[in-house]
Amino acid sequence: TLSGIGAEVGIKNNKLTISVDEKLKVPDAVRKEIKNIANKYFPKIMFYDLAKKTMATIEVIDGVPVEEFKKLQPKLDKLILKIFKKYKLEKKFKMDSVRLSSEVESIFAGKDLGAKRFLDWLNTKNIKPEKFYSFGDSISDVAMAEELYKNNLNVTFVFVGEPNLLTGKFPFKIVYPKSLFDKGVVEF
């Protein structure tokens, strides 16, 4: 069984199983409205990611220049925020606008929760790694490394995003590969 932030994937009787933490799930009516934004306003540039089980995500279509997506992302985010207000979600959910997507997720979900659940899984298997590497290209990804550090673990965060995005000091090592994004991960 592998745990994600709000979904758990496993195999039972040779069949793939997925269970969703309903407390973390974006309400279906909200997911539907966010999906409609992509289809109505940006059908040639963005799509609604059906694979996400607890969050609502609109991503850039493969092959579309990222700059074209980034130009329209403020309009996308404004439309999503209207939905937030309509359903009074401001105290339960948050929006994270990153390089290739705009994501809506529970305020109780995040990369730190994913890291915590991963640590819990390692503990159930009695696996004790000596060092952790956490990778990310957005500010929200740092939460994984922060959670590991908070648990007194040796962690290095490999930041593969635009270098000017990550500012401030952190109590753990940060590595900036020369290449960005997927190429930066491979380079490391």
Side-chain angles (χ1 to χ4, degrees):
T1 301
L2 290 174
S3 290
I5 292 172
E8 202 169 275
V9 179
I11 297 176
K12 189 174 186 177
N13 299 328
N14 290 329
K15 291 185 180 175
L16 184 67
T17 61
I18 300 173
S19 61
V20 174
D21 186 338
E22 294 295 328
K23 296 183 300 275
L24 301 179
K25 186 178 175 190
V26 174
D28 289 337
V30 174
R31 293 164 66 91
K32 183 178 179 183
E33 286 198 38
I34 291 173
K35 180 181 177 185
N36 288 339
I37 289 172
N39 294 338
K40 181 178 179 181
Y41 296 100
F42 313 105
K44 293 182 176 10
I45 296 166
M46 305 173 200
F47 72 99
Y48 180 84
D49 187 347
L50 295 169
K52 305 285 174 86
K53 300 300 176 196
T54 58
M55 55 196 308
T57 303
I58 294 180
E59 299 180 24
V60 64
I61 294 172
D62 283 343
V64 172
V66 174
E67 299 76 28
E68 195 173 334
F69 171 75
K70 294 302 279 179
K71 232 185 327 184
L72 294 170
Q73 196 172 26
K75 180 179 178 182
L76 167 65
D77 293 350
K78 199 172 185 179
L79 291 167
I80 291 172
L81 288 174
K82 279 186 182 179
I83 296 169
F84 262 56
K85 288 181 179 151
K86 175 180 174 182
Y87 288 92
K88 298 180 172 92
L89 297 176
E90 298 92 338
K91 293 182 181 177
K92 295 179 183 177
F93 293 89
K94 62 186 174 185
M95 185 169 57
D96 192 11
S97 297
V98 295
R99 180 174 179 264
L100 301 175
S101 67
S102 289
E103 307 168 341
V104 176
E105 67 182 351
S106 167
I107 61 170
F108 301 108
K111 307 292 174 110
D112 54 336
L113 178 59
K116 182 180 179 333
R117 288 186 173 179
F118 179 65
L119 290 175
D120 291 345
W121 179 81
L122 288 175
N123 285 332
T124 66
K125 304 293 181 195
N126 202 26
I127 299 172
K128 309 256 185 254
E130 293 177 15
K131 180 137 180 87
F132 290 84
Y133 292 91
S134 174
F135 294 79
D137 63 5
S138 70
I139 296 165
S140 63
D141 293 327
V142 176
M144 294 180 286
E146 289 173 332
E147 182 65 27
L148 295 166
Y149 180 81
K150 195 166 67 176
N151 281 275
N152 299 313
L153 297 166
N154 184 1
V155 60
T156 296
F157 183 69
V158 182
F159 189 68
V160 296
E162 300 289 344
N164 62 330
L165 288 179
L166 195 60
T167 59
K169 294 193 179 232
F170 298 93
F172 42 82
K173 184 177 179 183
I174 301 203
V175 174
Y176 298 89
K178 287 181 185 173
S179 300
L180 301 179
F181 311 111
D182 297 349
K183 290 179 183 174
V185 173
V186 172
E187 177 185 307
F188 179 78

